[in-house]
Amino acid sequence: MAEPVCHRFALCSFDGGTTSPALQMGGEISRVKSRLRLSVRLGGAIEAVRLSPPVASPSRQDGLWSTTCFECFWGVEGERPYWELNLSPAGHWNLYRLEAYRDGLRPEPGYDLPPHRLVRDAGGLSVHLDLRLPPAIPTEAPLQVAITSVIEDRNGRLSYWALAHPGAEPDFHRRDAFLLRL
């Protein structure tokens, strides 16, 4: 059996850090057969970040990207459909399937429980995920992956974080920014 592929990553802000110069984001992602494992850490001056307080009963919600939200995108290499996962610091979440670039967004069925765990400490906020991949993805199919985040500061300004920003505007859906291979 092949060893799981694991990638460490660091995210950069679209504006080169001018909006949030004292923040750092990074983590690790791996795939073991049909499971995706992701850990993301937001560190630095997180007191400047608007973080929704944790809720007792997290739920599946739309529009999480309008404030601080951790995201992961993936698609099978060479195929048009892809998935978007949103994870809120409050614990809310959603998993969508898209048929092609920004087309056909719909919730992926079969997911009822929050797929992640949040850990807040003096140094930052960590998100840990162990997700069963959707059944439409064959176990051995190579995945292209993007890790992204929207960060809202206490003044309501948004900054956009990703592995890379290949366009003139922040656009997490661009497949040329799905840089990791699992």
Side-chain angles (χ1 to χ4, degrees), residues 35 55-61 85-88 90-95 111-118 128-132:
R35 302 208 65 85
V55 297
S57 299
S59 62
R60 190 171 200 165
Q61 294 187 8
L85 175 69
N86 303 146
L87 306 170
S88 159
H92 302 302
W93 63 281
N94 213 333
L95 177 60
Y111 293 86
D112 298 324
L113 299 173
H116 65 296
R117 170 175 64 86
L118 298 153
H128 303 281
L129 168 78
D130 185 353
L131 179 74
R132 175 186 46 83

Side-chain angles (χ1 to χ4, degrees), residues 41-60:
R41 174 102 174 136
L42 171 61
I46 67 164
E47 66 278 356
V49 176
R50 183 171 287 162
L51 294 173
S52 302
V55 297
S57 299
S59 62
R60 190 171 200 165

Side-chain angles (χ1 to χ4, degrees), residues 38-87:
L38 173 66
S39 292
V40 180
R41 174 102 174 136
L42 171 61
I46 67 164
E47 66 278 356
V49 176
R50 183 171 287 162
L51 294 173
S52 302
V55 297
S57 299
S59 62
R60 190 171 200 165
Q61 294 187 8
D62 291 322
L64 295 173
W65 52 78
S66 65
T67 186
T68 300
C69 178
F70 303 99
E71 302 180 345
C72 183
F73 293 77
W74 66 84
V76 174
E77 200 163 344
E79 295 184 12
R80 291 174 49 143
Y82 64 100
W83 287 261
E84 174 183 350
L85 175 69
N86 303 146
L87 306 170

Side-chain angles (χ1 to χ4, degrees), residues 11-26:
L11 302 184
C12 60
S13 65
F14 178 76
D15 63 7
T18 58
T19 304
S20 307
L23 293 176
Q24 302 91 36
M25 291 192 74

Side-chain angles (χ1 to χ4, degrees), residues 19-39:
T19 304
S20 307
L23 293 176
Q24 302 91 36
M25 291 192 74
E28 185 174 283
I29 187 167
S30 64
R31 178 181 179 189
V32 179
K33 297 184 181 183
S34 63
R35 302 208 65 85
L36 186 68
R37 295 188 176 129
L38 173 66
S39 292

